[in-house]
Amino acid sequence: MSHKQAPKTIRPLDLADIDDQLSEEEKAIRQAVRHTCEQEVDPYIAQWFESGEMPALRELAKKFGEVGLFGMHLEGYGCAGMSAVDYGLACLELEASDSGIRSLVSVQGSLAMFGIWRWGTEEQKQEWLPQMATGEAIGCFGLTEPDHGSDPGSMRTRARRDGDDWVLDGTKMWITNGSVADAAVVWANAGEENGGIRGFVVPTDTAGFSAPEIKHKMSLRASVTSELVLDGVRLPGDAIFPEVRGLKGPLSCLNEARYGILWGAMGSARSAFSAALDYSTQRTQFGRPIAGFQLTQNKLAHMSNELTLGTLLALHLGRRKDAVGLRPDQVSIGKLNNVSKAIEICRTARTILGANGISLEYPVIRHMNNLESVLTYEGTPEMHTLMIGQSLTGEAAYR
């Protein structure tokens, strides 16, 4: 089967001239990521999705490491130290290829690496961050559990003291990169006497650690998703993040990942819209291209507006993050709006392609299916809605 990818040009999609707000350096970074995806991802992504396999994940990770994608917004330890806008543009280009590819980079850089960079000891940073930045080592992030997603404070994974060591027992679920990771940042309840929820760096070759891959899924098929099983995993005392306690640690990491998602979703939307726009000018019915019909133009205009508004929101939040930082509710606004609008764009694009819209010869159904996962991971729309509601009213409706 041949796989038709959406055209890479963004000329007809930038009616608001958003490009004029980017510096030449930002455009160059975006182009470098786009070029990497065109060479290393786009020729293969539809087949990876169809087969549900990522046969060359480690090789791809090293390619990404070579161009500085992992932890690119972090300082030191071999990381590129780029701006939030630079990182956002990279996430947009990665997800224009596939959400699973952006997830690989997000989990590596914004969850595993950021967790170590922000909360780890100097020894942990020196051991893991340089090799993660190059893609030589892969990381994952263990927070979600089979029975605890939106309420991570109720997690059942436990950490107990045994002499100078820590022993971890529990199960994590829906963990990107889990079965290929070299290190897992795992959050566990250590009991009130030890500060409650604590973070640990767990080498995945530690006895008692296993990560069976989750195979039966219809979304993010070009991504490794696993369960983490911790069965008496014994760690030395210095495996713990020494300072952070409670949900502050994992939520700080999630906010970093959510920021990348609000950009990335616009990449999926752009790819689907571009495919629909291109298709509408070539598909002829009743003796004329369907792009010439008012109902099709209504769909295209609406998709274009939402894509433009979502991209402008992402850029605004990126500029603010670079200038003064972002509050969690501001990240929630971006994640809730942009992922929801991206799904709407993909579904509308699917209707323009008609029956061809469900074929993997085009990228639309793949993006649409992927976004169903993106909608609920790193905070469901319900939770982001309530976070915004709490910010507006001062009342926490989810407690």
Side-chain angles (χ1 to χ4, degrees), residues 16-43:
D17 294 328
I18 299 172
D19 258 18
D20 291 347
Q21 300 184 42
L22 302 180
S23 69
E24 292 305 313
E25 181 181 355
E26 288 165 344
K27 292 176 186 178
I29 290 169
R30 181 186 63 184
Q31 182 58 40
V33 178
R34 184 182 303 171
H35 177 73
T36 299
C37 289
E38 287 173 346
Q39 296 296 312
E40 306 296 338
V41 178
D42 293 351

PDB file of all heavy atoms in Angstrom, residues 16-43:
ATOM      1  N   ALA A  16      -3.171  34.296   8.681  1.00  0.00           N
ATOM      2  CA  ALA A  16      -2.957  35.368   9.657  1.00  0.00           C
ATOM      3  C   ALA A  16      -1.501  35.815   9.702  1.00  0.00           C
ATOM      4  O   ALA A  16      -1.142  36.660  10.523  1.00  0.00           O
ATOM      5  CB  ALA A  16      -3.405  34.903  11.045  1.00  0.00           C
ATOM      6  N   ASP A  17      -0.652  35.234   8.827  1.00  0.00           N
ATOM      7  CA  ASP A  17       0.771  35.597   8.785  1.00  0.00           C
ATOM      8  C   ASP A  17       1.449  35.408  10.136  1.00  0.00           C
ATOM      9  O   ASP A  17       2.217  36.253  10.606  1.00  0.00           O
ATOM     10  CB  ASP A  17       0.949  37.043   8.302  1.00  0.00           C
ATOM     11  CG  ASP A  17       0.514  37.226   6.853  1.00  0.00           C
ATOM     12  OD1 ASP A  17       0.656  36.265   6.072  1.00  0.00           O
ATOM     13  OD2 ASP A  17       0.036  38.319   6.507  1.00  0.00           O
ATOM     14  N   ILE A  18       1.173  34.266  10.775  1.00  0.00           N
ATOM     15  CA  ILE A  18       1.809  33.956  12.054  1.00  0.00           C
ATOM     16  C   ILE A  18       3.323  33.890  11.907  1.00  0.00           C
ATOM     17  O   ILE A  18       4.072  34.253  12.813  1.00  0.00           O
ATOM     18  CB  ILE A  18       1.253  32.630  12.615  1.00  0.00           C
ATOM     19  CG1 ILE A  18      -0.257  32.752  12.859  1.00  0.00           C
ATOM     20  CG2 ILE A  18       1.958  32.236  13.909  1.00  0.00           C
ATOM     21  CD1 ILE A  18      -0.933  31.442  13.224  1.00  0.00           C
ATOM     22  N   ASP A  19       3.786  33.448  10.746  1.00  0.00           N
ATOM     23  CA  ASP A  19       5.221  33.359  10.517  1.00  0.00           C
ATOM     24  C   ASP A  19       5.935  34.689  10.755  1.00  0.00           C
ATOM     25  O   ASP A  19       7.109  34.703  11.134  1.00  0.00           O
ATOM     26  CB  ASP A  19       5.494  32.882   9.088  1.00  0.00           C
ATOM     27  CG  ASP A  19       5.870  31.417   9.041  1.00  0.00           C
ATOM     28  OD1 ASP A  19       5.592  30.716  10.029  1.00  0.00           O
ATOM     29  OD2 ASP A  19       6.448  30.978   8.034  1.00  0.00           O
ATOM     30  N   ASP A  20       5.246  35.789  10.519  1.00  0.00           N
ATOM     31  CA  ASP A  20       5.869  37.092  10.700  1.00  0.00           C
ATOM     32  C   ASP A  20       6.220  37.362  12.161  1.00  0.00           C
ATOM     33  O   ASP A  20       7.015  38.264  12.455  1.00  0.00           O
ATOM     34  CB  ASP A  20       4.939  38.205  10.199  1.00  0.00           C
ATOM     35  CG  ASP A  20       4.782  38.176   8.682  1.00  0.00           C
ATOM     36  OD1 ASP A  20       5.571  37.476   8.019  1.00  0.00           O
ATOM     37  OD2 ASP A  20       3.862  38.853   8.170  1.00  0.00           O
ATOM     38  N   GLN A  21       5.622  36.584  13.078  1.00  0.00           N
ATOM     39  CA  GLN A  21       5.901  36.764  14.496  1.00  0.00           C
ATOM     40  C   GLN A  21       7.046  35.889  14.981  1.00  0.00           C
ATOM     41  O   GLN A  21       7.401  35.932  16.161  1.00  0.00           O
ATOM     42  CB  GLN A  21       4.639  36.460  15.315  1.00  0.00           C
ATOM     43  CG  GLN A  21       3.457  37.352  14.978  1.00  0.00           C
ATOM     44  CD  GLN A  21       2.267  37.091  15.880  1.00  0.00           C
ATOM     45  OE1 GLN A  21       2.411  36.910  17.079  1.00  0.00           O
ATOM     46  NE2 GLN A  21       1.078  37.067  15.300  1.00  0.00           N
ATOM     47  N   LEU A  22       7.626  35.094  14.090  1.00  0.00           N
ATOM     48  CA  LEU A  22       8.732  34.219  14.452  1.00  0.00           C
ATOM     49  C   LEU A  22      10.049  34.836  14.014  1.00  0.00           C
ATOM     50  O   LEU A  22      10.148  35.446  12.952  1.00  0.00           O
ATOM     51  CB  LEU A  22       8.572  32.850  13.794  1.00  0.00           C
ATOM     52  CG  LEU A  22       7.306  32.062  14.100  1.00  0.00           C
ATOM     53  CD1 LEU A  22       7.322  30.726  13.349  1.00  0.00           C
ATOM     54  CD2 LEU A  22       7.142  31.821  15.597  1.00  0.00           C
ATOM     55  N   SER A  23      11.062  34.645  14.836  1.00  0.00           N
ATOM     56  CA  SER A  23      12.393  35.101  14.465  1.00  0.00           C
ATOM     57  C   SER A  23      12.986  34.164  13.420  1.00  0.00           C
ATOM     58  O   SER A  23      12.503  33.041  13.216  1.00  0.00           O
ATOM     59  CB  SER A  23      13.300  35.144  15.695  1.00  0.00           C
ATOM     60  OG  SER A  23      13.575  33.825  16.148  1.00  0.00           O
ATOM     61  N   GLU A  24      14.045  34.604  12.769  1.00  0.00           N
ATOM     62  CA  GLU A  24      14.706  33.754  11.794  1.00  0.00           C
ATOM     63  C   GLU A  24      15.272  32.502  12.445  1.00  0.00           C
ATOM     64  O   GLU A  24      15.259  31.426  11.858  1.00  0.00           O
ATOM     65  CB  GLU A  24      15.807  34.535  11.073  1.00  0.00           C
ATOM     66  CG  GLU A  24      15.284  35.642  10.167  1.00  0.00           C
ATOM     67  CD  GLU A  24      14.288  35.119   9.142  1.00  0.00           C
ATOM     68  OE1 GLU A  24      14.578  34.079   8.502  1.00  0.00           O
ATOM     69  OE2 GLU A  24      13.209  35.735   8.981  1.00  0.00           O
ATOM     70  N   GLU A  25      15.755  32.635  13.679  1.00  0.00           N
ATOM     71  CA  GLU A  25      16.272  31.466  14.398  1.00  0.00           C
ATOM     72  C   GLU A  25      15.154  30.473  14.693  1.00  0.00           C
ATOM     73  O   GLU A  25      15.337  29.260  14.540  1.00  0.00           O
ATOM     74  CB  GLU A  25      16.935  31.904  15.703  1.00  0.00           C
ATOM     75  CG  GLU A  25      17.518  30.743  16.507  1.00  0.00           C
ATOM     76  CD  GLU A  25      18.152  31.175  17.817  1.00  0.00           C
ATOM     77  OE1 GLU A  25      18.239  32.390  18.067  1.00  0.00           O
ATOM     78  OE2 GLU A  25      18.558  30.286  18.583  1.00  0.00           O
ATOM     79  N   GLU A  26      13.995  30.976  15.090  1.00  0.00           N
ATOM     80  CA  GLU A  26      12.860  30.087  15.362  1.00  0.00           C
ATOM     81  C   GLU A  26      12.419  29.368  14.093  1.00  0.00           C
ATOM     82  O   GLU A  26      12.116  28.169  14.120  1.00  0.00           O
ATOM     83  CB  GLU A  26      11.707  30.883  15.969  1.00  0.00           C
ATOM     84  CG  GLU A  26      11.975  31.328  17.400  1.00  0.00           C
ATOM     85  CD  GLU A  26      11.023  32.390  17.890  1.00  0.00           C
ATOM     86  OE1 GLU A  26      10.319  33.032  17.053  1.00  0.00           O
ATOM     87  OE2 GLU A  26      10.971  32.619  19.106  1.00  0.00           O
ATOM     88  N   LYS A  27      12.393  30.089  12.975  1.00  0.00           N
ATOM     89  CA  LYS A  27      12.034  29.447  11.713  1.00  0.00           C
ATOM     90  C   LYS A  27      13.056  28.379  11.333  1.00  0.00           C
ATOM     91  O   LYS A  27      12.699  27.318  10.812  1.00  0.00           O
ATOM     92  CB  LYS A  27      11.938  30.491  10.606  1.00  0.00           C
ATOM     93  CG  LYS A  27      10.782  31.468  10.763  1.00  0.00           C
ATOM     94  CD  LYS A  27      10.822  32.519   9.662  1.00  0.00           C
ATOM     95  CE  LYS A  27       9.768  33.596   9.865  1.00  0.00           C
ATOM     96  NZ  LYS A  27       9.848  34.651   8.819  1.00  0.00           N
ATOM     97  N   ALA A  28      14.332  28.646  11.605  1.00  0.00           N
ATOM     98  CA  ALA A  28      15.380  27.685  11.263  1.00  0.00           C
ATOM     99  C   ALA A  28      15.253  26.423  12.109  1.00  0.00           C
ATOM    100  O   ALA A  28      15.429  25.306  11.597  1.00  0.00           O
ATOM    101  CB  ALA A  28      16.755  28.325  11.460  1.00  0.00           C
ATOM    102  N   ILE A  29      14.927  26.582  13.385  1.00  0.00           N
ATOM    103  CA  ILE A  29      14.735  25.414  14.257  1.00  0.00           C
ATOM    104  C   ILE A  29      13.545  24.601  13.785  1.00  0.00           C
ATOM    105  O   ILE A  29      13.601  23.372  13.687  1.00  0.00           O
ATOM    106  CB  ILE A  29      14.563  25.873  15.719  1.00  0.00           C
ATOM    107  CG1 ILE A  29      15.891  26.419  16.249  1.00  0.00           C
ATOM    108  CG2 ILE A  29      14.054  24.725  16.593  1.00  0.00           C
ATOM    109  CD1 ILE A  29      15.777  27.137  17.568  1.00  0.00           C
ATOM    110  N   ARG A  30      12.457  25.288  13.463  1.00  0.00           N
ATOM    111  CA  ARG A  30      11.279  24.589  12.954  1.00  0.00           C
ATOM    112  C   ARG A  30      11.609  23.828  11.674  1.00  0.00           C
ATOM    113  O   ARG A  30      11.219  22.670  11.511  1.00  0.00           O
ATOM    114  CB  ARG A  30      10.164  25.604  12.681  1.00  0.00           C
ATOM    115  CG  ARG A  30       8.867  24.978  12.166  1.00  0.00           C
ATOM    116  CD  ARG A  30       7.848  26.033  11.785  1.00  0.00           C
ATOM    117  NE  ARG A  30       8.329  26.854  10.680  1.00  0.00           N
ATOM    118  CZ  ARG A  30       7.664  27.904  10.206  1.00  0.00           C
ATOM    119  NH1 ARG A  30       6.517  28.268  10.750  1.00  0.00           N
ATOM    120  NH2 ARG A  30       8.152  28.607   9.194  1.00  0.00           N
ATOM    121  N   GLN A  31      12.342  24.448  10.786  1.00  0.00           N
ATOM    122  CA  GLN A  31      12.689  23.801   9.531  1.00  0.00           C
ATOM    123  C   GLN A  31      13.601  22.608   9.750  1.00  0.00           C
ATOM    124  O   GLN A  31      13.479  21.580   9.065  1.00  0.00           O
ATOM    125  CB  GLN A  31      13.368  24.804   8.583  1.00  0.00           C
ATOM    126  CG  GLN A  31      13.729  24.230   7.225  1.00  0.00           C
ATOM    127  CD  GLN A  31      12.516  23.677   6.488  1.00  0.00           C
ATOM    128  OE1 GLN A  31      11.444  24.270   6.521  1.00  0.00           O
ATOM    129  NE2 GLN A  31      12.682  22.526   5.837  1.00  0.00           N
ATOM    130  N   ALA A  32      14.502  22.705  10.714  1.00  0.00           N
ATOM    131  CA  ALA A  32      15.399  21.585  11.000  1.00  0.00           C
ATOM    132  C   ALA A  32      14.621  20.374  11.516  1.00  0.00           C
ATOM    133  O   ALA A  32      14.891  19.235  11.123  1.00  0.00           O
ATOM    134  CB  ALA A  32      16.455  22.011  12.020  1.00  0.00           C
ATOM    135  N   VAL A  33      13.641  20.628  12.394  1.00  0.00           N
ATOM    136  CA  VAL A  33      12.817  19.521  12.910  1.00  0.00           C
ATOM    137  C   VAL A  33      11.963  18.948  11.794  1.00  0.00           C
ATOM    138  O   VAL A  33      11.828  17.725  11.654  1.00  0.00           O
ATOM    139  CB  VAL A  33      11.943  20.002  14.083  1.00  0.00           C
ATOM    140  CG1 VAL A  33      11.046  18.864  14.581  1.00  0.00           C
ATOM    141  CG2 VAL A  33      12.808  20.523  15.221  1.00  0.00           C
ATOM    142  N   ARG A  34      11.392  19.818  10.966  1.00  0.00           N
ATOM    143  CA  ARG A  34      10.577  19.353   9.858  1.00  0.00           C
ATOM    144  C   ARG A  34      11.405  18.482   8.908  1.00  0.00           C
ATOM    145  O   ARG A  34      10.945  17.427   8.454  1.00  0.00           O
ATOM    146  CB  ARG A  34       9.989  20.548   9.101  1.00  0.00           C
ATOM    147  CG  ARG A  34       9.033  20.146   7.981  1.00  0.00           C
ATOM    148  CD  ARG A  34       8.518  21.363   7.233  1.00  0.00           C
ATOM    149  NE  ARG A  34       7.866  22.302   8.136  1.00  0.00           N
ATOM    150  CZ  ARG A  34       7.478  23.531   7.778  1.00  0.00           C
ATOM    151  NH1 ARG A  34       7.715  23.968   6.555  1.00  0.00           N
ATOM    152  NH2 ARG A  34       6.880  24.316   8.640  1.00  0.00           N
ATOM    153  N   HIS A  35      12.620  18.924   8.621  1.00  0.00           N
ATOM    154  CA  HIS A  35      13.498  18.159   7.719  1.00  0.00           C
ATOM    155  C   HIS A  35      13.811  16.784   8.315  1.00  0.00           C
ATOM    156  O   HIS A  35      13.790  15.765   7.603  1.00  0.00           O
ATOM    157  CB  HIS A  35      14.782  18.927   7.471  1.00  0.00           C
ATOM    158  CG  HIS A  35      15.772  18.194   6.619  1.00  0.00           C
ATOM    159  ND1 HIS A  35      15.610  18.013   5.257  1.00  0.00           N
ATOM    160  CD2 HIS A  35      16.935  17.552   6.947  1.00  0.00           C
ATOM    161  CE1 HIS A  35      16.622  17.323   4.779  1.00  0.00           C
ATOM    162  NE2 HIS A  35      17.444  17.031   5.774  1.00  0.00           N
ATOM    163  N   THR A  36      14.091  16.748   9.609  1.00  0.00           N
ATOM    164  CA  THR A  36      14.370  15.470  10.263  1.00  0.00           C
ATOM    165  C   THR A  36      13.172  14.530  10.153  1.00  0.00           C
ATOM    166  O   THR A  36      13.326  13.339   9.866  1.00  0.00           O
ATOM    167  CB  THR A  36      14.733  15.694  11.741  1.00  0.00           C
ATOM    168  OG1 THR A  36      15.902  16.512  11.816  1.00  0.00           O
ATOM    169  CG2 THR A  36      15.001  14.373  12.459  1.00  0.00           C
ATOM    170  N   CYS A  37      11.972  15.061  10.379  1.00  0.00           N
ATOM    171  CA  CYS A  37      10.767  14.231  10.278  1.00  0.00           C
ATOM    172  C   CYS A  37      10.533  13.755   8.846  1.00  0.00           C
ATOM    173  O   CYS A  37      10.130  12.609   8.624  1.00  0.00           O
ATOM    174  CB  CYS A  37       9.556  15.017  10.782  1.00  0.00           C
ATOM    175  SG  CYS A  37       9.540  15.270  12.569  1.00  0.00           S
ATOM    176  N   GLU A  38      10.786  14.620   7.888  1.00  0.00           N
ATOM    177  CA  GLU A  38      10.619  14.230   6.488  1.00  0.00           C
ATOM    178  C   GLU A  38      11.559  13.092   6.114  1.00  0.00           C
ATOM    179  O   GLU A  38      11.197  12.206   5.328  1.00  0.00           O
ATOM    180  CB  GLU A  38      10.877  15.432   5.581  1.00  0.00           C
ATOM    181  CG  GLU A  38       9.770  16.468   5.609  1.00  0.00           C
ATOM    182  CD  GLU A  38      10.125  17.717   4.832  1.00  0.00           C
ATOM    183  OE1 GLU A  38      11.315  17.905   4.494  1.00  0.00           O
ATOM    184  OE2 GLU A  38       9.204  18.516   4.560  1.00  0.00           O
ATOM    185  N   GLN A  39      12.753  13.098   6.703  1.00  0.00           N
ATOM    186  CA  GLN A  39      13.739  12.076   6.374  1.00  0.00           C
ATOM    187  C   GLN A  39      13.567  10.800   7.187  1.00  0.00           C
ATOM    188  O   GLN A  39      13.705   9.688   6.651  1.00  0.00           O
ATOM    189  CB  GLN A  39      15.159  12.637   6.616  1.00  0.00           C
ATOM    190  CG  GLN A  39      15.518  13.810   5.725  1.00  0.00           C
ATOM    191  CD  GLN A  39      15.562  13.445   4.262  1.00  0.00           C
ATOM    192  OE1 GLN A  39      16.164  12.446   3.879  1.00  0.00           O
ATOM    193  NE2 GLN A  39      14.917  14.264   3.429  1.00  0.00           N
ATOM    194  N   GLU A  40      13.260  10.941   8.477  1.00  0.00           N
ATOM    195  CA  GLU A  40      13.333   9.808   9.395  1.00  0.00           C
ATOM    196  C   GLU A  40      11.983   9.232   9.806  1.00  0.00           C
ATOM    197  O   GLU A  40      11.933   8.111  10.312  1.00  0.00           O
ATOM    198  CB  GLU A  40      14.094  10.222  10.667  1.00  0.00           C
ATOM    199  CG  GLU A  40      15.471  10.816  10.428  1.00  0.00           C
ATOM    200  CD  GLU A  40      16.440   9.832   9.792  1.00  0.00           C
ATOM    201  OE1 GLU A  40      16.206   8.603   9.907  1.00  0.00           O
ATOM    202  OE2 GLU A  40      17.431  10.277   9.195  1.00  0.00           O
ATOM    203  N   VAL A  41      10.903   9.976   9.586  1.00  0.00           N
ATOM    204  CA  VAL A  41       9.594   9.535  10.084  1.00  0.00           C
ATOM    205  C   VAL A  41       8.574   9.380   8.964  1.00  0.00           C
ATOM    206  O   VAL A  41       7.948   8.321   8.810  1.00  0.00           O
ATOM    207  CB  VAL A  41       9.052  10.525  11.148  1.00  0.00           C
ATOM    208  CG1 VAL A  41       7.666  10.086  11.618  1.00  0.00           C
ATOM    209  CG2 VAL A  41      10.011  10.623  12.331  1.00  0.00           C
ATOM    210  N   ASP A  42       8.375  10.409   8.176  1.00  0.00           N
ATOM    211  CA  ASP A  42       7.254  10.442   7.241  1.00  0.00           C
ATOM    212  C   ASP A  42       7.210   9.277   6.248  1.00  0.00           C
ATOM    213  O   ASP A  42       6.119   8.784   5.945  1.00  0.00           O
ATOM    214  CB  ASP A  42       7.237  11.771   6.492  1.00  0.00           C
ATOM    215  CG  ASP A  42       6.917  12.950   7.401  1.00  0.00           C
ATOM    216  OD1 ASP A  42       6.549  12.708   8.560  1.00  0.00           O
ATOM    217  OD2 ASP A  42       7.036  14.099   6.953  1.00  0.00           O
ATOM    218  N   PRO A  43       8.341   8.800   5.736  1.00  0.00           N
ATOM    219  CA  PRO A  43       8.242   7.678   4.792  1.00  0.00           C
ATOM    220  C   PRO A  43       7.760   6.378   5.423  1.00  0.00           C
ATOM    221  O   PRO A  43       7.342   5.461   4.714  1.00  0.00           O
ATOM    222  CB  PRO A  43       9.689   7.527   4.278  1.00  0.00           C
ATOM    223  CG  PRO A  43      10.339   8.843   4.545  1.00  0.00           C
ATOM    224  CD  PRO A  43       9.717   9.321   5.822  1.00  0.00           C
TER     225      PRO A  43
END
